[in-house]
Amino acid sequence: MGGERKVYTLAEVSQHNHAKDCWLVIEGKVFDVTKFLEDHPGGDDVLLSSTGKDATDDFEDVGHSSSARAMMDEFYVGDIDTSTIPSKRKYTPPKQPHYEQDKTSEFVIKLLQFLVPLLILGLAFGVRSYTKTPASS
């Protein structure tokens, strides 16, 4: 890593997103990993899928060894202009519909309006068949 460091925008780095020209942003630094694609233990798809964004989380999630981290120096090409990286958004789950007790009671009433007549009908048939005894000869 020589004297003056080149600073790249995310848009510039994002243009290097294929197997013949692959750059990654990790921990505020830009790396040209094109020569390493074939040798990467996880395969080239892993690296290619991390282009065009800050790949720091992807890199850290895997848990790279200290030798892998030391190897990165040979691929270093400059720094990233951090103002060009979009801020991380916190996940907010979609709003759930408000639970209304009144609607639940309406559902129960409709369910009972359907089931009670069936229950009465079933009970009537049960009593009828119970009281009907076969005629003995």
Side-chain angles (χ1 to χ4, degrees):
M1 295 198 245
E4 189 172 321
R5 295 181 176 188
K6 173 84 170 125
V7 177
Y8 297 94
T9 65
L10 186 59
E12 291 173 315
V13 174
S14 297
Q15 294 173 0
H16 305 271
N17 60 0
H18 49 87
K20 299 204 183 290
D21 187 21
C22 181
W23 289 17
L24 298 179
V25 176
I26 301 171
E27 296 175 353
K29 297 178 180 175
V30 179
F31 300 92
D32 179 353
V33 295
T34 309
K35 295 177 184 173
F36 186 61
L37 289 175
E38 291 181 18
D39 298 327
H40 187 260
D44 61 350
D45 288 342
V46 174
L47 298 175
L48 290 167
S49 68
S50 296
T51 61
K53 63 179 182 174
D54 183 350
T56 302
D57 289 341
D58 296 344
F59 181 80
E60 294 297 336
D61 287 348
V62 175
H64 287 89
S65 66
S66 56
S67 61
R69 291 175 186 276
M71 185 186 299
M72 292 172 60
D73 287 343
E74 70 181 87
F75 302 112
Y76 175 82
V77 292
D79 293 321
I80 189 74
D81 179 355
T82 55
S83 68
T84 63
I85 296 178
S87 60
K88 293 180 184 175
R89 294 183 182 169
K90 183 180 176 188
Y91 173 74
T92 53
K95 294 194 179 227
Q96 298 294 321
H98 180 66
Y99 176 75
E100 294 183 27
Q101 182 65 34
D102 296 336
K103 286 190 177 183
T104 302
S105 64
E106 287 178 28
F107 173 75
V108 170
I109 289 171
K110 288 184 180 188
L111 185 65
L112 288 174
Q113 286 175 338
F114 176 75
L115 291 178
V116 168
L118 287 177
L119 183 65
I120 292 172
L121 193 59
L123 188 61
F125 278 115
V127 168
R128 183 174 173 220
S129 65
Y130 180 76
T131 56
K132 255 189 186 179
T133 53
S136 44
S137 320

